[in-house]
């Protein structure tokens, strides 16, 4: 290889690297600008197949990748937050959403890429409002995409002149299946059908030796386009490895959608070429080929979706038959919701982490009930259950903290999201502390049963009353964590004040019984320690409420500060 050839290859690879970086940067900016609205939007638009498709289109447009959308959906299915028909409908839409970048390239929006880069850079550096900063990042990345395409086109001119290039596309025209394999290989290597399409469009715009045709031509481009859709499914397959059966089925549905669609379209390449030329602008082939390729990519996915949409139920049954349910029972201490494949999408990663903490809180809640049963009723099995549940809570807390720390390690967090993650790490510790207090009470229950201690009816009634208050607080705490409702959080703080008053009242009543000799002095230490541990369970609930209130106030203060800065 001569020096010029080496330079061409390095330019091509370098421009591809910039393109993929720009695409990721734009996805990051769009996600930060959209914020938590993305998660709420997705939950609203998955109620039926049609709205699911719409959700898939818009999510893939924001994430700039059908693969990223599919990986996210697989994570939700794996966690039990989304069923298989919902997931399939989103995937159908995601394949349409990912064609948007190819359309923008074809419309030559990037002819003004320096303007986009300048405006985006200025907004990102000088804007004070966080949302405008993220929008600036998106515009800057958009310009970067088209800068890379401009550089790429220069190297493509040299590649198009190679006799091997001409021979390759002549072979593809004669044997379209080779084009499918070529497109699949491109997406596998680049890990992006969007990047593959950008390469294909740039190469297709190069002029053939006759002076008016494209070096590729639409007939040869079509099977390559179909292949890029197949190649992009591999990321989803990788994400489903080790996941539950429904997650594997989601990946299988993604593959079937693209493979069956490709198989069908391969029989109608001449007719599809006529249709694409009919709906695309007229002109010399090399001048309009980029638009034709973009339209072919979009309509392949639109038509494919329209074909599959009425048969989502059939597709679901088919993938269930292909992948039977062989899931082993998930051990209780294994995380159910944490998915590291979507760690770079903090909106959804935070949602999954919160769900796991809620599951952890349910085990802690069960520990309170078992500690109560063990101490009041002398139930030995309940005491043993407390020990088993403590192991589960401890393991889940360790996994949750690792996951939350991994979210922190990404570069995609907004300031508000960082505050939420920090709060969730503290909340995980507070839930674990609740379990520790239950273990202490269970130890007192064991000692009580072993020594045959009998508390007075009044003392038992007081401990029962205290447990009831802790149970109410734990229920409210779980609602606060799930709903992030400031009014519920404040109600929980009021419940804690009530518990503090109760603790003081019960201590005074116990002292009175000691004076009246209606209670044995040897039980005093155990009584006060049990009451104190129950009070500390309430204290952990209070801290969780305070963390949620702090997050809500942080968001409100940030918005108020930005409005004030904008005003001055």
């Amino acid at each position: 290889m001569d020096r010029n050839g080496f330079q061409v290859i390095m330019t091509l690879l370098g421009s591809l690297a910039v393109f993929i970086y720009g695409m990721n940067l734009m996805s990051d900016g769009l996600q930060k600008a959209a914020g938590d609205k993305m998660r709420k939007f997705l939950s609203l638009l998955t109620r039926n197949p049609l709205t699911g498709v719409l959700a898939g289109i818009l999510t893939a447009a924001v994430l700039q990748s059908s693969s990223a959308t599919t990986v996210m959906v697989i994570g939700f299915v794996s966690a039990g937050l989304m069923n298989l028909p919902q997931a399939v409908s989103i995937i159908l839409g995601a394949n349409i959403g990912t064609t948007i970048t190819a359309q923008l390239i074809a419309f030559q929006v990037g002819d003004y890429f320096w303007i986009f880069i300048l405006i985006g850079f200025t907004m990102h550096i000088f804007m004070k409002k966080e949302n405008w900063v993220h929008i600036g990042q998106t515009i800057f990345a958009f310009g970067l995409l088209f800068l890379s395409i401009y550089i790429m086109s220069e190297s493509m001119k040299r590649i198009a002149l190679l006799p091997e290039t001409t021979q390759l596309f002549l072979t593809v025209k004669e044997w379209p299946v080779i084009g499918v394999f070529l497109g699949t290989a491109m997406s596998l290597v680049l890990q992006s059908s969007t990047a593959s399409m950008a390469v294909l469009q740039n190469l297709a715009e190069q002029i053939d030796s006759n002076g008016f045709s494209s070096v590729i031509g639409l007939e040869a481009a079509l099977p390559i386009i179909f292949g890029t859709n197949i190649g992009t499914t591999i990321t989803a397959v990788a994400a489903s490895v080790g996941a539950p059966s429904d997650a594997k089925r989601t990946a299988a549905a993604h593959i079937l959608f693209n493979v069956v669609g490709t198989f069908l379209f391969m029989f109608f390449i001449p007719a599809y070429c006529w249709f694409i030329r009919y709906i695309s602008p007229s002109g010399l082939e090399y001048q309009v080929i980029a638009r034709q390729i973009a339209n072919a990519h979009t309509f392949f996915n639109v038509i494919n979706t329209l074909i599959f949409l009425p048969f989502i139920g059939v597709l679901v049954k088919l993938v269930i038959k292909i992948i039977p349910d062989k899931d082993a029972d998930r051990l209780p201490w294994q995380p159910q919701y944490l998915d590291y494949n979507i760690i770079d999408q903090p909106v959804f990663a935070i949602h999954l982490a919160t769900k796991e903490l809620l599951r952890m809180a349910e085990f802690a809640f069960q520990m309170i009930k078992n500690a109560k049963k063990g101490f009041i009723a002398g139930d030995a099995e309940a005491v043993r259950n407390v020990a088993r549940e403590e192991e589960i809570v401890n393991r889940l807390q360790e996994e949750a903290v690792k996951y939350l720390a991994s979210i922190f390690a990404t570069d995609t967090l907004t300031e508000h999201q960082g505050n939420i993650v920090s709060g969730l790490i503290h909340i995980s510790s507070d839930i674990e502390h609740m379990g520790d207090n239950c273990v202490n009470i269970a130890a007192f229950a064991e000692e009580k049963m072993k020594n045959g201690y009998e508390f007075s009816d009044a003392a038992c009634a007081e401990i029962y009353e205290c447990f009831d208050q802790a149970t109410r607080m734990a229920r409210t705490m779980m609602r606060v964590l799930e709903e992030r409702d400031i009014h519920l959080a404040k109600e929980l703080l009021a419940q804690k004040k009530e518990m503090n008053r109760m603790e003081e009242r019960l201590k005074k009543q116990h002292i009175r019984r000691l004076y009246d000799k209606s209670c044995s002095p040897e039980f005093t230490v155990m009584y006060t320690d049990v009451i104190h541990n129950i009070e500390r369970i309430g204290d952990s609930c209070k801290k969780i409420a305070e963390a949620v209130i702090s997050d809500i106030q942080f968001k409100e203060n940030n918005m108020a500060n930005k409005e004030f800065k904008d005003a001055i």
Side-chain angles (χ1 to χ4, degrees):
M1 182 188 298
D2 62 12
R3 184 178 175 182
N4 288 338
F6 178 78
Q7 188 176 4
V8 167
I9 291 171
M10 287 299 102
T11 303
L12 175 61
L13 295 177
S15 58
L16 268 173
V18 174
F19 182 89
I20 294 169
Y21 172 73
M23 206 165 53
N24 291 336
L25 193 64
M26 188 159 72
S27 171
D28 177 31
L30 285 167
Q31 284 186 71
K32 286 177 177 176
D36 197 48
K37 297 183 188 72
M38 275 183 68
R39 185 181 61 80
K40 292 175 182 174
F41 171 82
L42 195 61
S43 64
L44 285 172
L45 291 183
T46 52
R47 294 176 182 174
N48 62 65
L50 194 58
T51 57
V53 169
L54 180 60
I57 292 170
L58 294 176
T59 305
V62 170
L63 298 181
Q64 284 294 296
S65 169
S66 60
S67 297
T69 305
T70 307
V71 167
M72 180 196 71
V73 168
I74 285 171
F76 279 14
V77 171
S78 180
L81 300 176
M82 187 178 285
N83 61 38
L84 192 54
Q86 285 176 322
V88 171
S89 67
I90 292 173
I91 286 170
L92 297 186
N95 275 34
I96 298 172
T98 197
T99 66
I100 289 172
T101 306
Q103 288 289 351
L104 292 173
I105 293 169
F107 274 100
Q108 297 181 326
V109 179
D111 285 356
Y112 309 99
F113 62 82
W114 287 121
I115 296 174
F116 288 113
I117 288 173
L118 179 61
I119 292 172
F121 177 80
T122 304
M123 289 176 66
H124 185 67
I125 297 297
F126 297 107
M127 283 288 184
K128 294 177 182 178
K129 193 172 182 179
E130 188 179 22
N131 214 43
W132 283 110
V133 170
H134 301 324
I135 292 170
Q137 177 183 323
T138 304
I139 294 171
F140 174 77
F142 185 73
L144 210 59
L145 278 181
F146 290 99
L147 170 62
S148 66
I149 289 167
Y150 173 77
I151 298 169
M152 196 188 300
S153 66
E154 295 302 308
S155 57
M156 288 300 180
K157 288 175 184 176
R158 296 287 305 278
I159 292 172
L161 296 173
L162 296 173
E164 292 84 359
T165 304
T166 305
Q167 184 57 49
L168 174 64
F169 292 115
L170 284 173
T171 306
V172 169
K173 285 177 184 177
E174 188 176 350
W175 299 96
V177 71
I178 294 174
V180 174
F181 285 115
L182 179 60
T184 302
M186 285 171 67
S187 282
L188 281 173
V189 171
L190 298 178
Q191 288 291 291
S192 169
S193 61
T194 306
S196 302
M197 291 301 298
V199 171
L200 184 63
Q201 284 173 293
N202 266 278
L203 187 54
E205 285 183 312
Q206 308 312 315
I207 308 172
D208 199 1
S209 56
N210 59 26
F212 58 87
S213 297
S214 160
V215 71
I216 296 178
L218 187 58
E219 289 85 352
L222 287 181
I224 299 173
I225 293 168
F226 304 154
T228 62
N229 281 269
I230 295 173
T232 198
T233 64
I234 302 303
T235 308
V237 173
S240 70
V241 173
S245 294
D246 270 353
K248 293 185 176 73
R249 290 164 183 161
T250 304
H254 192 204
I255 294 170
L256 279 174
F257 173 74
N258 287 297
V259 170
V260 172
T262 296
F263 181 77
L264 292 174
F265 272 73
M266 289 290 280
F267 287 103
F268 301 100
I269 284 179
Y272 193 51
C273 277
W274 176 86
F275 170 71
I276 294 301
R277 288 190 177 111
Y278 180 76
I279 63 170
S280 301
S282 57
L284 295 176
E285 187 179 50
Y286 78 92
Q287 292 175 332
V288 297
I289 189 71
R291 287 285 301 278
Q292 291 176 348
I293 288 173
N295 290 339
H297 191 209
T298 299
F299 277 93
F300 167 76
N301 287 293
V302 169
I303 295 168
N304 211 12
T305 297
L306 291 174
I307 292 170
F308 272 88
L309 194 56
F311 303 104
I312 283 180
V314 176
L315 182 59
V316 167
K317 287 178 183 177
L318 181 60
V319 293
I320 289 173
K321 193 168 184 179
I322 293 171
I323 303 174
D325 198 350
K326 294 182 180 179
D327 290 340
D329 291 336
R330 194 192 297 267
L331 296 172
W333 56 77
Q334 292 177 321
Q336 182 175 328
Y337 298 106
L338 307 182
D339 187 345
Y340 283 87
N341 288 308
I342 62 171
I343 208 81
D344 290 328
Q345 297 163 35
V347 170
F348 301 105
I350 288 169
H351 178 62
L352 293 183
T354 304
K355 294 290 288 184
E356 197 66 59
L357 290 182
L358 275 166
R359 181 168 170 260
M360 181 180 162
E362 285 168 5
F363 281 110
F365 179 74
Q366 194 60 41
M367 289 179 76
I368 297 170
K369 291 167 69 175
N370 279 321
K372 174 184 174 182
K373 194 186 291 185
F375 193 86
I376 301 291
D379 189 326
E381 181 60 28
V383 170
R384 287 192 289 273
N385 284 339
V386 169
R388 283 193 285 267
E389 286 153 356
E390 185 212 14
E391 180 68 20
I392 294 169
V393 168
N394 288 346
R395 290 200 187 189
L396 288 178
Q397 195 246 353
E398 184 180 337
E399 293 299 326
V401 169
K402 283 181 187 175
Y403 188 77
L404 289 163
S406 298
I407 299 175
F408 253 134
T410 66
D411 297 324
T412 53
L413 278 180
T414 63
E415 188 180 4
H416 178 230
Q417 288 167 345
N419 191 66
I420 293 174
V421 172
S422 177
L424 290 176
I425 289 173
H426 289 296
I427 285 170
S428 73
S429 296
D430 292 323
I431 296 171
E432 193 268 336
H433 291 156
M434 290 169 65
D436 290 341
N437 294 128
C438 291
V439 169
N440 294 340
I441 296 168
F444 290 129
E446 276 189 311
E447 185 182 345
K448 178 172 171 279
M449 287 185 286
K450 182 179 178 183
N451 295 314
Y453 292 157
E454 290 293 337
F455 280 77
S456 66
D457 290 344
C460 285
E462 288 166 359
I463 293 171
Y464 196 96
E465 179 187 5
C466 212
F467 266 120
D468 275 356
Q469 181 66 6
T471 304
R472 276 192 296 274
M473 290 187 69
R475 280 199 192 100
T476 307
M477 176 271 291
M478 287 190 282
R479 285 187 63 198
V480 168
L481 185 55
E482 183 172 22
E483 299 172 27
R484 303 191 79 79
D485 186 320
I486 195 165
H487 301 294
L488 269 177
K490 288 179 178 177
E491 181 186 323
L492 185 51
L493 297 184
Q495 289 175 351
K496 181 59 176 68
K497 287 180 181 177
E498 186 182 338
M499 176 175 269
N500 291 343
R501 289 192 293 269
M502 182 189 296
E503 184 186 18
E504 290 302 315
R505 174 170 56 82
L506 297 186
K507 284 180 180 178
K508 288 176 183 176
Q509 287 175 190
H510 184 69
I511 295 297
R512 193 176 300 118
R513 285 195 300 273
L514 288 174
Y515 273 116
D516 296 342
K517 300 191 182 336
S518 59
C519 188
S520 172
E522 64 182 317
F523 299 154
T524 299
V525 173
M526 183 177 289
Y527 174 89
T528 54
D529 279 349
V530 168
I531 295 294
H532 179 64
N533 274 281
I534 297 172
E535 185 274 332
R536 288 186 67 185
I537 290 171
D539 200 45
S540 293
C541 292
K542 174 194 169 189
K543 288 179 180 177
I544 291 170
E546 288 173 340
V548 171
I549 290 170
S550 173
D551 168 53
I552 294 169
Q553 289 176 341
F554 177 89
K555 185 177 181 181
E556 289 174 351
N557 290 339
N558 262 14
M559 289 174 67
N561 288 338
K562 284 165 188 169
E563 286 172 5
F564 175 74
K565 287 176 182 177
D566 290 344
I568 60 173

